[in-house]
Amino acid sequence: MTTAPADCQTKDDVRAEIDRIDQALLHLFAERHRYVTRMAEIKTDPHEARDPVRIEAVIAKVRERSLALDLDEDQAELVWRTLIDWNINYEKGIITARRRPL
């Protein structure tokens, strides 16, 4: 059951909702990670992991969507840039490991 923010009466009520949302976010991050892993399997060169044009397009979309949700677009951008940077390093590692001779 979801309780609207305005209906939360105690800190514990708020914390329970934040915990619920965090669990949902983890599921979404795990799903996203599976796609990132698949992308790394498809790419053949570690340099492909960083695509500046794609990155800026994603960031622009995140900022636009954040505004529509009344979410601070700078905060959302920071989260996405961190996520993207981590994914780039992860992809590079997979691609590089695959290219190493046995």
Side-chain angles (χ1 to χ4, degrees):
M1 176 171 62
T2 301
T3 304
D7 293 334
C8 291
Q9 300 301 311
T10 67
K11 290 186 286 186
D12 285 341
D13 292 344
V14 173
R15 288 177 179 142
E17 291 305 311
I18 290 172
D19 287 346
R20 177 187 58 76
I21 293 165
D22 287 349
Q23 181 65 22
L25 286 170
L26 282 172
H27 282 279
L28 291 171
F29 280 133
E31 180 181 3
R32 188 180 196 282
H33 180 72
R34 289 188 292 276
Y35 285 99
V36 170
T37 299
R38 182 62 185 135
M39 184 64 82
E41 293 167 352
I42 292 170
K43 292 177 180 178
T44 58
D45 187 302
H47 293 96
E48 288 181 89
R50 180 174 296 280
D51 181 347
V53 173
R54 170 71 177 149
I55 292 168
E56 293 312 312
V58 169
I59 295 300
K61 202 180 309 181
V62 164
R63 290 184 67 84
E64 180 181 323
R65 290 174 176 171
S66 297
L67 286 172
L69 295 168
D70 198 27
L71 177 66
D72 182 278
E73 68 273 21
D74 293 333
Q75 183 181 18
E77 179 178 343
L78 177 61
V79 170
W80 255 260
R81 285 197 186 274
T82 300
L83 180 61
I84 289 168
D85 286 345
W86 187 90
N87 288 335
I88 288 167
N89 290 329
Y90 175 76
E91 282 186 19
K92 282 182 179 179
I94 288 176
I95 298 164
T96 301
R98 189 177 63 237
R99 292 175 50 153
R100 284 192 196 119
L102 297 177

